[in-house]
Amino acid sequence: TLKDKEYLKALTMSFRLNAAKLIARVYQSVPAADIPLVVRELPGIYLERLLRVAAAQADESPRLEFNLLWLSALLRTHGRAIKERQGEYAEVMRSVQRAVTRVQNEICRLTEQNSCTIEYLLAQPRKPKEARKAIDFGDGGVGKGLDEDGDAHEDEEMSSEGSWIGLD
């Protein structure tokens, strides 16, 4: 059913077979655009199991956005049912919260690291104008050059056809 792109059916069948690797494979195979459709049609009996799978995948898998799409769709679609039966979903919601917190901390760490890298690069001295003009951009020295500010521009000596129109 997975090959036939019947994702909801494949997911429910994998839950019935109770094979963790198969469940993870089906979960990872659902295209991001189809996640809301699969979640909307998901039978309520599988909600807790899918929340567990999504939380576990968010902890294990490097696909941050994909897992957050699953969690977001699950909470948007089935949030009312989860709230009405808070006691039943308390444990799985704590695991979802741990997974989302881990993702948040990872993103904050990467953001801090990137901002430090940017600050370091901006603190580096700029090269003199002559050195910047001589940088080879892989176009054989023809086509693009740098102006006084170091920005790329088309050489005025080249026409749009690439023939020489300048002075010797």
Side-chain angles (χ1 to χ4, degrees):
T1 57
L2 188 58
K3 287 180 183 176
D4 294 337
K5 298 182 180 181
E6 295 181 40
Y7 301 112
L8 178 62
K9 189 175 181 182
L11 190 61
T12 56
M13 289 174 70
S14 66
F15 282 138
R16 287 182 186 163
L17 291 172
N18 201 23
K21 289 187 180 194
L22 183 60
I23 293 169
R25 181 176 169 207
V26 172
Y27 173 88
Q28 293 287 338
S29 298
V30 176
D34 291 342
I35 291 172
L37 300 172
V38 171
V39 169
R40 190 176 329 125
E41 298 299 321
L42 182 75
I45 195 164
Y46 298 117
L47 178 58
E48 184 177 351
R49 292 186 70 189
L50 186 54
L51 279 167
R52 283 187 197 283
V53 169
Q57 287 292 316
D59 272 341
E60 300 167 5
S61 172
R63 299 176 67 186
L64 296 178
E65 183 180 8
F66 182 79
N67 293 315
L68 291 175
L69 284 172
W70 271 104
L71 290 170
S72 176
L74 284 164
L75 295 174
R76 286 176 195 257
T77 305
H78 298 284
R80 184 170 287 135
I82 293 169
K83 187 169 175 80
E84 288 171 357
R85 299 186 304 186
Q86 287 178 345
E88 294 175 39
Y89 290 104
E91 180 188 346
V92 72
M93 290 308 296
R94 279 191 296 274
S95 65
V96 167
Q97 184 178 11
R98 276 191 304 270
V100 170
T101 301
R102 185 196 60 78
V103 168
Q104 178 187 14
N105 290 338
E106 190 172 321
I107 290 172
C108 287
R109 182 184 56 79
L110 287 172
T111 303
E112 179 65 28
Q113 189 177 26
N114 286 345
S115 66
C116 289
T117 303
I118 289 171
E119 287 176 20
Y120 170 77
L121 292 173
L122 290 174
Q124 298 304 305
R126 295 195 68 173
K127 294 181 180 181
K129 290 181 194 177
E130 291 77 28
R132 285 185 286 176
K133 287 183 179 181
I135 296 173
D136 180 20
F137 288 100
D139 61 0
V142 178
K144 292 202 183 236
L146 296 177
D147 60 15
E148 305 80 47
D149 300 323
D151 297 326
H153 64 86
E154 290 292 326
D155 284 343
E156 285 131 23
E157 291 134 356
M158 295 295 292
S159 71
S160 60
E161 292 82 24
S163 60
W164 175 258
I165 61 166
L167 300 173
D168 289 338

